[in-house]
Amino acid sequence: LTASPDVLPSREDPRELAPQSQPATLKVAVLGLRGLQSARQLDHSVVVIGPRRPFVEVDAGRGGGGGGGRRGGGGGGSRSLMRRTSARNTPSVINPSYMEVLEIQLPLPLNSLFLPSVNIRVKDALFGGLRTPTLGTATVGLAGRLPAT
């Protein structure tokens, strides 16, 4: 088998394959949650712990939907693309109010085809934060939600 050098793939720098992007700040206003329910355990045991200190995680990761979140900034960049609110249980544990604005610095692609999704997770801090069951999740696409550049 012989191949011409014209046919073989070039050894381009992988960074050149990334879409053109511009630095941006994504601001997410977290107002509050209403009607929280406890995390059901998989074995449907009789004892179900209700929410104690729920918090919200917002992740604008790079193609990383559904994972366990990013700990220590492990997304290829030097900064973490995940932010979280403080754990709250006021005015009540099932209706916590946050009134926080989470800011995430990230490179946004110029082509809307490559825009990331924003992943939102509601978790509960149990046993001083040693256990954080997920109470709910949502994903919001950024396409059509950003001002024109």
Side-chain angles (χ1 to χ4, degrees):
L1 180 68
T2 60
S4 165
D6 299 341
V7 178
L8 295 175
S10 64
R11 295 180 182 233
E12 295 180 14
D13 187 4
R15 289 175 280 172
E16 294 177 13
L17 297 176
Q20 289 184 341
S21 61
Q22 64 184 9
T25 301
L26 177 67
K27 295 183 180 182
V28 179
V30 182
L31 301 178
L33 301 167
R34 299 297 175 255
L36 277 181
Q37 296 180 1
S38 63
R40 303 278 184 231
Q41 296 184 1
L42 293 177
D43 60 1
H44 301 289
S45 61
V46 177
V47 179
V48 177
I49 299 173
R52 296 289 185 236
R53 295 190 47 81
F55 62 92
V56 178
E57 281 184 353
V58 178
D59 175 332
R62 298 179 187 165
R70 293 201 175 31
R71 296 178 195 255
S78 61
R79 300 183 118 169
S80 173
L81 298 178
M82 191 265 295
R83 298 286 182 267
R84 64 180 268 191
T85 64
S86 55
R88 298 261 172 93
N89 57 8
T90 55
S92 72
V93 73
I94 61 171
N95 297 314
S97 294
Y98 296 98
M99 304 300 282
E100 293 183 34
V101 176
L102 304 177
E103 294 186 5
I104 302 173
Q105 303 284 327
L106 74 160
L108 279 182
L110 298 176
N111 186 339
S112 63
L113 180 66
F114 299 108
L115 285 173
S117 294
V118 176
N119 304 305
I120 304 164
R121 288 176 295 281
V122 177
K123 294 187 172 188
D124 194 11
L126 298 177
F127 308 113
L130 294 175
R131 186 167 187 282
T132 56
T134 300
L135 302 178
T137 62
T139 301
V140 178
L142 292 179
R145 298 183 186 275
L146 300 175
T149 55

